[in-house]
Amino acid sequence: MADSADIRPGLLARLKQHHIYRVAVGYGTAIAILIQVVARAFPYFGWSAAVPAVIIILVASFPVAIVLAWLLVKPAEAANQPVWRKRHWTLGVVITPLVIAAVVVSGIFALRFSARHEARLVAEQAAAQAATHPATPSFDPPTGTLVVLPFTSLNGDPKQQYFSDGITEELTSALGQNAALRVIAWDTASRFRNTQQTANEVGHSLNVANLLHGSIEREGGQVRVIAELVDTRTGTEIWSAHYDDSLANIFRVQDTISAAIAGALKVKFASLGAAPTVNPQAHDLVLKARVLMEKAKTAAPIEQARMLYDQTIALDPDYADAHSGLARAWFELTVFTTLPLKEALPKVRAEANQALALDPRNVEALVQLGNADASEGKHAEAKTYFERALEIDPSNADAHMDYGTVLPLKPGLAQFLEAVQLDPDDASAQNSLAAAELDLGDYGQALAPVQALLRLDPKSADTALGLALTYALLHRDSDAVKAFDLAQPDTPLAKALAAAGRLTYQSILDPKLHAQALAAVDALGRRTDLDPFSMADVLQLKLALGENNPALKLLAKFCVAQPTGCNDLSVNPLYVPLRGRPRFEALVKKYDTVSKPQA
């Protein structure tokens, strides 16, 4: 039998000898207290991020403490005591510095981690704050820029709003006929009616340095106009005045205000000549007709405006604005109805020429003569009219937009951009800009004006079809289908177009729907109320469905009805499937202008 002194005790007994149980309980109690202290104290010093790291180190040190206890704590009844003592002190000398070094390194790591994490948190908070409250960029608009907000009607009758709006629009046009000023178009300025925004906020929104606002009161045959000019950069008043005069002299009041503003802004006043007197009743009819024309999306309000212009001319045959307004109404009816150009253009020219005979500076008449010539392919003559109109009124957004249609692609794009900058709320300007971007192949760039167009004109199926086409060109077919969710068509024709459009682009994703989509598009083509705009929409859908031969026949018909709508045949991505066909190339030769050298 072996000597009892050589018998080694069991593991549990040895653990007890080295006080491992006491060490475990003591260490567990200690780290529990330390974790509580760290969790509460470290955030006070801004070391919140270090708390997890310290807890990990304390917990990870537990096995180290057990090992040290095994090595360093003297057994209560150890055999071969001298040998054991030698061993545990030797190991202790080696391990203790290592453990101390490990704890120090871990502490340094924890503090560095804390600092880095805190820095990252600060950076993230700063970025979030910048996103929520972006820093106000420096506001330095061009000095000669101006917006005329809708003047308030002091008559208190909402039905009289057209009068104050009409005077404001005329004042905007009069100020625009000053080459030293750049005036935001009425269409965009009118959305700031009754705004709660400050002058500085409006200035930021439109990038203009000056803001004109005021009020108008009409009573009997008299009118009072109160106007104030404000510097949008500082919010300070630059000039203010009020004018009392007869309604017959309203143009004289407008010219007086224009001259005063030019003086206040220290720019040269563009003399408009002697202001004519006007028949107040005729003037009132013209203002009512303009309101109808401005937001017209169908033929009915345009026809109403045409009749009002006829009444005005019967009342005052020498009223130039009535003649130019009538010229515009006749031209617009060719867009929203099936009225042929060959019937309408003689009337357009007759009324526009009569307006110029009465007022050689009548910009509306010049623009309509330019449109008439452009519709007949007389691009050189049309350019002359548009350039003359812009020489008189460089802030006329319509003149810029229509001028762009008779220019090669890149110069035309510059005109469309100018039109959008002057009148960002004009759907036609946004449409022209989008079309030019598509023609240039900048499909991504076209997306913003197309989306703006749908925002401005959500009731039009044509705008949804334009957005769908843009998405399709970007190979985003699912988004092309979703484009129709954004439209709110409000007429039977628009609803039918939107439904057929949705089905057509769904059939691209699911070919099983092709026959159903084609049936819907063919039904559209048989409608008797298909105006030129809607005809172009049906043409787009036929091409999307691969119906190239029927599409080519419809295109020839569309070009006859709207020649300016065919001025980009050679570059319009919609017509890629038709390129190279003799009949299509003949249409390009006849109608295309953007690919021709600029005269």
Side-chain angles (χ1 to χ4, degrees):
M1 178 179 288
D3 190 341
S4 61
D6 296 327
I7 297 175
R8 296 178 180 275
L11 177 63
L12 295 178
R14 295 186 68 185
L15 291 176
K16 185 177 181 181
Q17 287 179 348
H18 290 270
H19 305 292
I20 298 300
Y21 299 122
R22 293 181 184 179
V23 170
V25 172
Y27 189 86
T29 303
I31 65 172
I33 295 171
L34 284 172
I35 287 173
Q36 292 295 321
V37 172
V38 167
R40 294 175 181 274
F42 274 36
Y44 179 80
F45 295 102
W47 300 342
S48 300
V51 172
V54 172
I55 292 173
I56 291 171
I57 292 171
L58 290 172
V59 173
S61 299
F62 179 74
V64 176
I66 298 300
V67 171
L68 289 175
W70 181 269
L71 295 174
L72 300 179
V73 176
K74 178 181 178 181
E77 298 177 1
N80 302 319
Q81 189 69 244
V83 174
W84 169 252
R85 181 170 301 184
K86 182 178 180 180
R87 287 178 180 174
H88 87 248
W89 281 114
T90 301
L91 291 172
V93 170
V94 174
I95 293 175
T96 301
L98 292 177
V99 171
I100 294 172
V103 172
V104 171
V105 170
S106 299
I108 294 172
F109 170 79
L111 291 175
R112 290 184 64 186
F113 175 82
S114 171
R116 290 177 180 176
H117 190 67
E118 290 293 334
R120 185 169 68 251
L121 286 176
V122 170
E124 289 174 354
Q125 291 172 356
Q129 185 174 8
T132 308
H133 304 287
T136 303
S138 58
F139 180 46
D140 187 24
T143 303
T145 48
L146 172 70
V147 60
V148 184
L149 299 192
F151 277 34
T152 303
S153 174
L154 297 181
N155 292 91
D157 183 0
K159 293 181 180 179
Q160 297 297 310
Q161 185 67 53
Y162 76 91
F163 181 78
S164 58
D165 283 355
I167 300 300
T168 309
E169 184 177 4
E170 288 180 338
L171 181 56
T172 301
S173 297
L175 286 164
Q177 295 187 29
N178 192 321
L181 295 177
R182 192 169 186 273
V183 185
I184 296 296
W186 161 253
D187 190 54
T188 291
S190 64
R191 73 179 163 94
F192 291 94
R193 181 195 315 282
N194 301 323
T195 182
Q196 298 301 310
Q197 291 181 290
T198 64
N200 182 263
E201 290 169 337
V202 174
H204 267 279
S205 177
L206 299 174
N207 195 35
V208 294
N210 305 285
L211 180 150
L212 180 68
H213 67 136
S215 59
I216 296 175
E217 184 175 15
R218 175 173 63 169
E219 186 165 349
Q222 297 295 117
V223 63
R224 164 169 282 196
V225 179
I226 301 173
E228 180 186 29
L229 183 66
V230 178
D231 187 325
T232 62
R233 294 159 294 190
T234 62
T236 58
E237 177 186 293
I238 301 173
W239 162 90
S240 66
H242 76 273
Y243 303 90
D244 296 293
D245 212 324
S246 67
L247 285 171
N249 291 326
I250 188 63
F251 292 136
R252 184 172 67 187
V253 172
Q254 293 173 10
D255 286 356
T256 302
I257 294 174
S258 298
I261 290 174
L265 297 179
K266 298 179 174 59
V267 298
K268 183 178 180 181
F269 176 61
S271 177
L272 306 179
T277 57
V278 63
N279 182 317
Q281 187 177 352
H283 184 230
D284 199 65
L285 289 171
V286 165
L287 297 184
K288 290 178 178 177
R290 283 180 182 154
V291 171
L292 290 168
M293 292 285 293
E294 278 168 8
K295 301 298 182 183
K297 304 298 179 185
T298 62
I302 299 174
E303 180 59 28
Q304 294 175 34
R306 185 193 67 77
M307 291 188 290
L308 287 176
Y309 284 127
D310 278 335
Q311 294 176 34
T312 304
I313 292 169
L315 193 63
D316 186 356
D318 294 334
Y319 194 173
D321 286 352
H323 288 284
S324 62
L326 183 55
R328 179 187 173 191
W330 279 117
F331 189 81
E332 293 288 332
L333 285 172
T334 68
V335 177
F336 293 100
T337 72
T338 56
L339 176 67
L341 278 167
K342 64 180 181 181
E343 293 183 20
L345 290 186
K347 298 175 181 178
V348 172
R349 286 196 172 96
E351 297 300 334
N353 282 318
Q354 180 61 26
L356 286 177
L358 295 166
D359 176 13
R361 294 177 59 87
N362 192 291
V363 173
E364 182 72 86
L366 291 167
V367 169
Q368 297 311 320
L369 287 173
N371 285 333
D373 281 342
S375 298
E376 292 185 334
K378 302 175 182 176
H379 301 124
E381 293 87 342
K383 285 172 58 181
T384 300
Y385 283 120
F386 292 135
E387 288 166 358
R388 185 176 166 194
L390 289 170
E391 183 181 353
I392 296 170
D393 185 0
S395 293
N396 192 295
D398 287 342
H400 282 288
M401 183 176 62
D402 293 341
Y403 184 30
T405 64
V406 297
L407 294 175
L409 197 53
K410 288 189 176 180
L413 177 66
Q415 293 299 320
F416 299 144
L417 283 168
E418 182 67 15
V420 167
Q421 290 171 0
L422 287 166
D423 198 359
D425 278 9
D426 180 39
S428 296
Q430 295 284 2
N431 183 66
S432 296
L433 177 59
E437 298 284 13
L438 291 176
D439 288 346
L440 283 167
D442 293 332
Y443 306 147
Q445 287 289 104
L447 198 55
V450 175
Q451 290 170 331
L453 179 60
L454 190 56
R455 174 181 59 81
L456 293 168
D457 192 11
K459 295 181 179 180
S460 169
D462 180 74
T463 58
L465 282 158
L467 182 57
L469 173 62
T470 307
Y471 278 132
L473 291 169
L474 290 167
H475 305 292
R476 295 168 59 177
D477 295 328
S478 296
D479 288 327
V481 175
K482 294 175 184 176
F484 297 95
D485 296 335
L486 304 175
Q488 303 165 21
D490 61 346
T491 66
L493 176 57
K495 290 177 182 178
L497 282 166
R502 183 193 303 274
L503 196 55
T504 294
Y505 285 96
Q506 284 176 331
S507 73
I508 295 174
L509 295 170
D510 184 1
K512 290 183 293 185
L513 297 173
H514 184 275
Q516 185 180 349
L518 183 58
V521 174
D522 286 343
L524 281 170
R526 293 190 293 270
R527 294 181 69 112
T528 58
D529 58 346
L530 208 62
D531 56 71
F533 269 134
S534 305
M535 192 187 303
D537 293 334
V538 174
L539 173 61
Q540 173 185 328
L541 297 179
K542 284 186 177 293
L543 287 169
L545 291 168
E547 295 293 300
N548 296 340
N549 288 331
L552 187 52
K553 292 180 181 178
L554 188 60
L555 177 60
K557 185 177 179 181
F558 171 70
C559 289
V560 171
Q562 284 295 309
T564 55
C566 293
N567 70 332
D568 63 344
L569 294 179
S570 63
V571 292
N572 192 324
L574 178 64
Y575 303 122
V576 169
L578 303 179
R579 290 179 188 170
R581 297 184 176 221
R583 189 174 180 185
F584 177 74
E585 296 304 328
L587 294 175
V588 171
K589 185 176 180 180
K590 183 175 182 180
Y591 295 105
D592 192 279
T593 61
V594 299
S595 62
K596 296 175 182 177
Q598 188 174 8

